[in-house]
Amino acid sequence: MRALRLAVVALVLMSPLVLSAQTTRLRLASSLPANSLWDRSLKRMASEWQKGTDGRVRAQVRPTAGDESTVIRRMRMNNPQVAALTPLGLQEVDEAFSVFGIPFFFESEAEAVHVLEALTPRLRDTLAENDLVLLNWGHGGWAHIFSAAPVTTLDDFRKTKVFTSAGDDSMVQWYKENGFRPVPLAFTDVLMGLNTGLIDAYPSSPYGALAFQWYRQTSHMLDVALAPLFGATVMTERAWRRISEADQNAMLKAAVATQEALFVDVPRQDREAVSEMQTRGLTVSTVDAAAAASLRAEAEKLTASWRGGIVPADIFDAAVEARAAYRGR
Amino acid sequence: MVTEQGRNRSGFLAVVLVTVALSPGCSLRSMAVNAVLPTLVNPDVYLSDEDPELVRDALPFLLETLESILEADPARQDVLLFANTGFLLYANAFLQTDSVIAEWDDYDRAAELNERARRMCLRARDYGLRNVEVDYPGISERLRADPEAAVEVFEPEDVESLYYLGGAWMLAVSLGLDEPALVADLPAARALLDRALELDEEYERGTLHSAFITLESVDGSYASAREHFVRAVELSEGQDAGPYVSLAAGVAVAEENREEFRQLLETALAIDPDEEPSNRLLNLVAQRRARSLLDHIDDLFFEPLDEDDGGDPRTDQEIRP
């Protein structure tokens, strides 16, 4: 009897040790193509998590063909526990993330990063309200307008038949209200749309236009960037809680290093993509500073309706304020 | 015992060899090389082998040897084609397969293998381009400038060259999607394979259709991938494990069809590699991949999501330990 009691005590004493030594296996869902810069950076981060936690946290990056709304629904069941979300996925979580998609809102990468950093506490809270933990920001490059005919003004843009994501009704409505000609299509139908003349313009990062070969039907790119494509790696609160604080810190350290690398590598990749497309017939339409300012000013008037419409008013105002602070430095 | 006749023949041979060796513009070495090359560059020897590890060990030496031969004779097409084929085989059957399997446990190792595979594919591509340049000077440049028009010059007898060149180029691109310069060549690689399919869709008992299963699934064109699968199985009379593995990994996973995934891989594993000796090596390699995929079936598929949403906070799915 005494032996049994001792065994029970020993087991009870041991259990925290056993628990702390357990391996947490995570599944990291990603819709990013295998062997792309993003895929490699996620796998490198997963590898760093494993090393930084002495093998206690192991993440497996798994491709998901399903749309991101399915991934987000699955995360409520805590499987996957981690996901690399694109801007569209983040907007599914909360419309506050639409703030980075306001057309021609940012003048430079540095300005956009400044606003991103300023809004991070608020956006982290937004994710927390959805039981998600922000691990790092991702960078998908900057969307530019690609078109069959040159576009250097918003009036030029109005003449195009521009692709917009099917199902994004508020965007379609905004386009129409402002005299544009949106054509809602599934992402997978863009090439078909370009080949058949259904569309002749689309917003895309230079790398995207190159990789999907869309640029071959649209030989013009406006040099003035439309908007940054900021994504994020998020983790379910439930899975996060089960990881010790020390291991959480190790994971965050690797996540931050991944973010820093992405914010250097992705813009570089886009510059290389532009250069490659130029050798294959792409014309980059540059405009002078005055024309760029005029374009931004006109866009600012048109996108004022985003406040409280597409983007919640408080986050819209916070972005304007942070941008003003950056410009006033 | 050496007969008189044998001695005479040896003497004659020795005289001939010495004479040839002394002749300007020719050499013993090149004679020997020419005699043995047709055997060396016959891919059937490797593709029918029953021991993939033996081929893995043998190929590097052979490929290095062939590269030396090409330094002396840079436009020798049979060697160029084999160099294209051999480097592609080594990259795809061994390095890439190892990488895919290593990814389950060790991303760093997988990345190293992928990088090696990418570099091998680029070597394979470059030999393939040199091969087609012999018959079509300037084709490399035209392929990059206007690929769809450039491939029109190819004839049915070029299909083998197109298949290995297009395959090496496509694989290099898919392993190097972080390199815009490589990604920009995607239309060229695709045009080569499209042209090969157009010229001889029955080539090597459906090999081209098998390649198109992966190509179309990467593009998200699952219906088209399935059509190529049906034709590949038909032409190979169900004796090629490749199409089953390609459809399982490329389409069944994407469509979250776990049962089809399992059935496809079990069918691939049930194929007897000895039934079709000319495809023995590739069947064994495909079956290795099939086993790895089946072993990780629980990692590849999520639990079914209820249509009325999976938001039940009590549900807490964990992947298997």
Side-chain angles (χ1 to χ4, degrees):
Chain A
M1 195 62 190
R2 185 166 175 268
L4 179 66
R5 262 206 307 274
L6 275 176
V8 170
V9 170
L11 271 176
V12 169
L13 287 174
M14 271 177 64
S15 56
L17 293 172
V18 172
L19 276 178
S20 67
Q22 264 182 350
T23 302
T24 303
R25 296 181 72 97
L26 305 169
R27 192 183 288 190
L28 195 166
S30 158
S31 57
L32 303 161
N35 298 313
S36 64
L37 198 158
W38 300 279
D39 176 67
R40 290 207 168 133
S41 74
L42 286 174
K43 287 173 179 165
R44 212 174 298 127
M45 180 172 73
S47 189
E48 291 303 318
W49 284 355
Q50 191 172 331
K51 289 179 206 158
T53 63
D54 293 327
R56 287 183 296 277
V57 175
R58 301 182 68 138
Q60 207 162 68
V61 180
R62 298 311 314 160
T64 54
D67 55 55
E68 289 186 300
S69 55
T70 306
V71 170
I72 292 160
R73 286 172 68 205
R74 286 190 190 285
M75 288 185 91
R76 292 186 198 135
M77 297 164 71
N78 205 26
N79 188 5
Q81 298 84 3
V82 192
L85 297 179
T86 67
L88 286 177
L90 287 171
Q91 286 160 32
E92 289 252 0
V93 174
D94 195 287
E95 55 193 3
F97 291 95
S98 302
V99 70
F100 298 108
I102 302 171
F104 302 111
F105 186 81
F106 299 106
E107 282 184 2
S108 67
E109 170 90 359
E111 183 176 279
V113 168
H114 176 86
V115 174
L116 177 70
E117 285 171 356
L119 298 187
T120 293
R122 194 180 292 237
L123 294 172
R124 184 178 280 127
D125 290 347
T126 302
L127 288 168
E129 286 160 18
N130 289 277
D131 298 321
L132 295 171
V133 176
L134 174 68
L135 299 182
N136 68 10
W137 293 114
H139 200 324
W142 283 71
H144 285 254
I145 295 172
F146 286 81
S147 52
V151 168
T152 54
T153 65
L154 288 183
D155 277 341
D156 292 338
F157 194 33
R158 284 188 176 95
K159 291 175 196 152
T160 69
K161 292 173 279 182
V162 61
F163 157 74
T164 189
S165 302
D168 192 349
D169 297 337
S170 55
M171 196 64 198
V172 173
Q173 192 187 340
W174 176 82
Y175 267 132
K176 284 183 177 170
E177 281 171 3
N178 290 287
F180 298 100
R181 299 157 70 196
V183 181
L185 283 176
F187 187 76
T188 46
D189 290 335
V190 172
L191 192 57
M192 178 275 296
L194 288 167
N195 286 333
T196 59
L198 190 61
I199 55 171
D200 55 16
Y202 55 87
S204 171
S205 71
Y207 178 83
L210 174 71
F212 294 111
Q213 300 169 51
W214 298 340
Y215 82 97
R216 299 179 78 204
Q217 276 74 28
T218 50
S219 57
H220 295 273
M221 183 192 100
L222 177 58
D223 197 29
V224 184
L226 194 62
L229 302 166
F230 291 146
T233 313
V234 297
M235 184 164 175
T236 62
E237 177 68 35
R238 220 180 313 172
W240 184 246
R241 273 200 314 265
R242 292 181 184 175
I243 294 168
S244 72
E245 195 179 339
D247 287 350
Q248 286 179 350
N249 288 336
M251 289 175 72
L252 286 173
K253 187 179 166 195
V256 167
T258 301
Q259 174 182 321
E260 285 170 358
L262 275 178
F263 275 65
V264 173
D265 293 342
V266 173
R268 176 191 47 75
Q269 179 177 255
D270 269 346
R271 286 193 296 276
E272 288 175 15
V274 170
S275 170
E276 286 299 328
M277 289 188 286
Q278 281 180 304
T279 65
R280 289 165 169 80
L282 180 78
T283 302
V284 177
S285 304
T286 52
V287 295
D288 60 27
S294 162
L295 193 151
R296 288 186 201 288
E298 191 185 351
E300 188 120 355
K301 284 182 203 157
L302 301 184
T303 54
S305 64
W306 281 46
R307 183 184 182 278
I310 296 172
V311 181
D314 63 334
I315 199 90
F316 188 101
D317 293 343
V320 171
E321 190 185 327
R323 186 184 64 174
Y326 178 82
R327 289 180 184 177
R329 289 199 304 189
Chain B
M1 193 176 96
V2 179
T3 62
E4 187 65 22
Q5 194 184 1
R7 260 196 301 271
N8 285 343
R9 194 183 295 142
S10 320
F12 174 71
L13 264 177
V15 171
V16 169
L17 289 177
V18 170
T19 309
V20 168
L22 294 173
S23 308
C26 194
S27 70
L28 252 182
R29 180 170 167 259
S30 65
M31 244 192 86
V33 162
N34 284 333
V36 78
L37 259 184
T39 311
L40 281 181
V41 298
N42 178 6
D44 294 347
V45 176
Y46 302 94
L47 294 175
S48 61
D49 204 285
E50 62 176 14
D51 186 346
E53 292 310 306
L54 184 68
V55 178
R56 180 203 289 267
D57 292 343
L59 263 179
F61 174 73
L62 174 64
L63 291 169
E64 289 287 337
T65 306
L66 294 182
E67 285 191 311
S68 304
I69 291 167
L70 284 171
E71 275 182 28
D73 191 356
R76 178 148 183 167
Q77 279 188 288
D78 55 351
V79 183
L80 285 169
L81 179 59
F82 188 86
N84 178 174
T85 312
F87 277 109
L88 175 60
L89 177 67
Y90 193 75
N92 183 225
F94 302 117
L95 298 176
Q96 201 199 1
T97 302
D98 286 354
S99 170
V100 168
I101 292 170
E103 244 193 22
W104 297 114
D105 300 309
D106 187 345
Y107 282 126
D108 293 348
R109 174 79 184 133
E112 281 168 24
L113 288 163
N114 250 347
E115 175 53 20
R116 277 194 73 204
R118 187 190 63 83
R119 281 190 275 114
M120 293 283 174
C121 286
L122 287 175
R123 265 160 101 164
R125 178 204 62 181
D126 290 345
Y127 286 119
L129 282 172
R130 280 171 59 180
N131 174 33
V132 292
E133 279 283 341
V134 175
D135 289 330
Y136 306 100
I139 190 73
S140 303
E141 204 171 309
R142 293 199 297 279
L143 276 169
R144 287 186 166 106
D146 188 355
E148 290 81 8
V151 297
E152 288 297 318
V153 297
F154 293 114
E155 303 285 346
E157 59 267 25
D158 298 318
V159 167
E160 186 179 22
S161 299
L162 295 183
Y163 171 65
Y164 286 114
L165 169 58
W169 210 339
M170 189 60 84
L171 193 57
V173 173
S174 74
L175 293 170
L177 285 180
D178 53 349
E179 288 183 50
L182 204 47
V183 173
D185 287 340
L186 190 62
R190 177 69 193 231
L192 288 163
L193 293 170
D194 282 341
R195 180 64 175 160
L197 190 71
E198 183 183 18
L199 289 169
D200 183 5
E201 64 103 19
E202 292 185 11
Y203 172 71
E204 288 290 316
R205 306 181 71 201
T207 295
L208 276 161
H209 285 286
S210 195
F212 271 85
I213 298 169
T214 304
L215 284 184
E216 297 291 1
S217 60
V218 167
D219 279 352
S221 308
Y222 304 132
S224 177
R226 286 183 183 281
E227 285 170 20
H228 286 291
F229 168 76
V230 169
R231 189 68 180 131
V233 171
E234 189 177 38
L235 289 169
S236 64
E237 296 170 338
Q239 290 304 314
D240 184 355
Y244 296 98
V245 179
S246 297
L247 195 74
V251 178
V253 171
E255 293 185 339
E256 300 194 26
N257 192 335
R258 184 181 173 121
E259 195 42 44
E260 183 188 37
F261 177 85
R262 182 195 298 279
Q263 282 174 8
L264 286 165
L265 295 178
E266 284 173 352
T267 307
L269 288 170
I271 290 170
D272 178 0
D274 296 330
E275 277 289 314
E276 182 54 56
S278 66
N279 201 37
R280 186 158 29 209
L281 176 77
L282 296 182
N283 267 338
L284 288 167
V285 170
Q287 288 178 334
R288 184 172 168 236
R289 274 202 72 194
R291 268 188 290 277
S292 167
L293 286 166
L294 266 181
D295 285 347
H296 292 89
I297 189 167
D298 290 330
D299 295 328
L300 286 165
F301 290 91
F302 291 100
E303 300 297 322
L305 193 60
D306 291 338
E307 282 310 307
D308 59 351
D309 204 359
D312 183 353
R314 289 165 303 178
T315 314
D316 192 4
Q317 297 178 3
E318 292 289 347
I319 58 174
R320 68 194 173 95

